[in-house]
Amino acid sequence: MSTVSLPSYVGHAPSLNRTPSYSAEPHDYEQRIALADHLRPRPSGDFIKESKGGGIRLRLTAQEDNVTLPVYGTADHVGGIVELSKTEGITSVEVKIEGRLLIKEIAEGGTAVAKLVLDTAMLWFKDSANPMCPQSLGFSLALPTTFTYEDKTYPLPPTFDVKLSGLPGFIATIDYSVTAVIAKPNGVPIPKVKSKALGIHIGTSILSTPFVYFPRSRPAQPIPLPLQHDSTGFQDTPDWKMFDSTLRSKSKTRPDITAKLYLPTSRIFCMTMTIPFHLTLESSAVSLAAFLPLSPTANTIPTRRVTRVQLMRQTTVDVRNTVMYGVKTDIWRVDCIGEGTFKRAGDGPSHISYTGEITLDEKAIKVPAFKAAGLSVKDCILFTVTPLDVGKAPFSELREVIPVRLTTDSWTPNGAGIGSEHAAALWDSPTPPSPNSPK
């Protein structure tokens, strides 16, 4: 590299005894590029599980205050302390974390179980160098980011529970737990029945608690500004992607209608925020007039609306992973987890335009989509035109499916939401799911 253009520092170098001056906030001639997420405070509370007799306490650290269950995210460490009130006769103390995916088909008789996590740490064992067990033993076990099932690797899935009633049906559960195992051969087994089943010696005491695994995610891009509308319809921009479909006319003298649904190009949305969209219908004035009774603003009762934009979730289980007579043996359920509302944006001689947003059902959705072994969860936006009386309607039915992805958190300017203009709102976090919570 040439050094001809390098400046001379002779006479400009500061004194080695002088430290540079820094300020917490930028000066008028400075600019903040980003503020790292490390300033976000870690939870400082403890979650405590105590045995019935009070002799054993499992204290899990770095938790929010008053949580129902401990919560961990991607690559987190399950850490804490095993506290013992009496240590006489104890020969070993260990802690283990476990994760399990259970899929059971109702009526079909198939069941699949996958081990997601299985890690153990021996905290103490009795020997000549350590004859007396300490009353307090710390531990830290790292959660993996993936698991392997039948030679395939998947991201570690979140805590999840879903059921499809009826025949055939299914039950799918993903759960995690942390357990302290205290071996005391001369003691009374707690619990007596489970000791042998767990492969541990009689006299072993067990203290266990489930925990919630809630991996966090956020979009890489913000929701774009709304499209501008003029006399010809919405004006395209690279931030919005258009999906067109055709509403077929039943009359040869009445042209078909072209439906243009606009969504943000990324199609990645925060599950606690609304999803914006635009819709334009293009055709002749005669066809548009015939469509008006079917328009999204013609009926305010959601269940009787003809034109709808919804967010749908499909949960699929496949216990056997086989194909019979050319058809896969999987079972699925589909739920509406968000409903769109419409406002008239404008019209012209050959178009009608609407703008709207999908409001997500917070009770129906607790985690984003994922795939883990024989269980998969997918999300999509469903655009439909379904006349109440198909036989008498001037147009046929229309159905358009567009895959989308949800995240747990919203986009922030610097990845942390700190120092931005609306920082307080961006700090609001979603509520992690609890075991046995739907979807």
Side-chain angles (χ1 to χ4, degrees):
M1 180 180 71
S2 173
T3 60
V4 174
S5 60
L6 292 179
S8 171
Y9 291 98
V10 177
H12 299 282
S15 170
L16 295 178
N17 296 324
R18 179 182 177 275
T19 58
S21 59
Y22 296 100
S23 60
E25 295 298 322
H27 294 288
D28 294 338
Y29 53 86
E30 296 175 326
Q31 180 183 0
R32 172 177 286 146
I33 298 175
L35 189 60
D37 193 34
H38 71 273
L39 294 181
R40 183 182 296 227
R42 243 178 104 78
S44 57
D46 293 341
F47 175 87
I48 300 174
K49 180 68 178 288
E50 191 170 6
S51 63
K52 290 183 179 180
I56 308 170
R57 300 178 80 191
L58 180 59
R59 182 187 298 272
L60 300 175
T61 57
Q63 297 297 313
E64 299 286 352
D65 293 332
N66 303 316
V67 292
T68 305
L69 288 174
V71 180
Y72 298 99
T74 304
D76 271 357
H77 283 71
V78 179
I81 303 170
V82 177
E83 300 172 347
L84 307 168
S85 60
K86 296 181 181 180
T87 60
E88 294 82 2
I90 294 178
T91 57
S92 68
V93 179
E94 65 178 332
V95 171
K96 61 181 177 180
I97 53 174
E98 296 177 282
R100 183 190 64 160
L101 164 61
L102 171 65
I103 304 173
K104 183 178 181 180
E105 291 185 1
I106 303 172
E108 296 293 333
T111 301
V113 179
K115 288 184 178 180
L116 307 178
V117 183
L118 183 57
D119 195 8
T120 302
M122 180 65 70
L123 307 185
W124 177 87
F125 64 92
K126 185 176 182 179
D127 59 12
S128 57
N130 301 282
M132 183 61 67
C133 178
Q135 288 189 313
S136 178
L137 294 162
F139 65 90
S140 180
L141 292 171
L143 288 170
T145 57
T146 61
F147 78 100
T148 301
Y149 181 74
E150 294 184 347
D151 299 326
K152 291 184 179 180
T153 300
Y154 305 89
L156 195 66
T159 298
F160 188 76
D161 189 276
V162 67
K163 178 180 180 180
L164 174 63
S165 302
L167 298 175
F170 65 79
I171 298 172
T173 303
I174 299 174
D175 53 39
Y176 298 88
S177 64
V178 53
T179 304
V181 181
I182 295 89
K184 193 175 183 181
N186 297 326
V188 178
I190 304 174
K192 295 179 181 179
V193 178
K194 292 185 178 180
S195 296
K196 186 176 180 181
L198 290 170
I200 52 184
H201 298 294
I202 298 298
T204 297
S205 298
I206 303 167
L207 184 59
S208 181
T209 180
F211 66 82
V212 175
Y213 180 61
F214 189 59
R216 307 285 286 271
S217 57
R218 68 171 77 248
Q221 299 175 351
I223 296 296
L225 295 174
L227 289 175
Q228 297 297 313
H229 186 273
D230 61 18
S231 60
T232 62
F234 289 110
Q235 300 303 302
D236 292 349
T237 71
D239 295 330
W240 291 81
K241 182 175 177 59
M242 187 264 290
F243 299 87
D244 60 341
S245 51
T246 302
L247 190 61
R248 301 293 180 186
S249 174
K250 294 182 179 180
S251 172
K252 294 182 180 179
T253 60
R254 187 170 47 238
D256 297 338
I257 294 178
T258 299
K260 296 181 178 180
L261 179 64
Y262 297 86
L263 293 172
T265 301
S266 68
R267 285 179 287 155
I268 301 175
F269 310 101
C270 174
M271 67 184 192
T272 60
M273 300 178 67
T274 58
I275 299 175
F277 65 86
H278 302 291
L279 175 65
T280 291
L281 303 169
E282 296 179 351
S283 188
S284 67
V286 174
S287 291
L288 293 178
F291 176 79
L292 285 178
L294 311 179
S295 69
T297 56
N299 198 319
T300 57
I301 303 175
T303 56
R304 295 185 62 83
R305 285 182 188 150
V306 174
T307 302
R308 304 174 76 177
V309 175
Q310 300 166 283
L311 181 64
M312 310 298 290
R313 167 160 289 189
Q314 177 177 298
T315 305
T316 305
V317 301
D318 187 3
V319 173
R320 289 168 288 178
N321 193 27
T322 58
V323 177
M324 298 179 64
Y325 306 106
V327 179
K328 284 185 66 63
T329 57
D330 51 5
I331 307 174
W332 65 90
R333 63 174 286 173
V334 178
D335 300 279
C336 176
I337 58 175
E339 185 74 40
T341 56
F342 296 78
K343 291 182 180 179
R344 189 80 167 260
D347 54 47
S350 59
H351 79 276
I352 305 175
S353 295
Y354 303 88
T355 186
E357 61 182 14
I358 302 173
T359 301
L360 277 62
D361 186 350
E362 294 183 3
K363 295 182 179 179
I365 177 171
K366 297 297 182 182
V367 297
F370 65 91
K371 180 174 177 57
L375 172 63
S376 68
V377 179
K378 299 178 181 179
D379 298 321
C380 68
I381 286 178
L382 177 63
F383 169 47
T384 55
V385 179
T386 310
L388 300 178
D389 189 340
V390 179
K392 296 180 180 180
F395 299 95
S396 300
E397 294 181 83
L398 172 64
R399 180 183 177 89
E400 177 84 6
V401 178
I402 304 167
V404 297
R405 188 154 60 91
L406 301 181
T407 64
T408 60
D409 295 73
S410 60
W411 175 87
T412 54
N414 54 24
I418 307 172
S420 62
E421 186 175 352
H422 305 288
L426 295 173
W427 274 63
D428 294 339
S429 298
T431 303
S434 59
N436 301 321
S437 66
K439 293 174 270 305

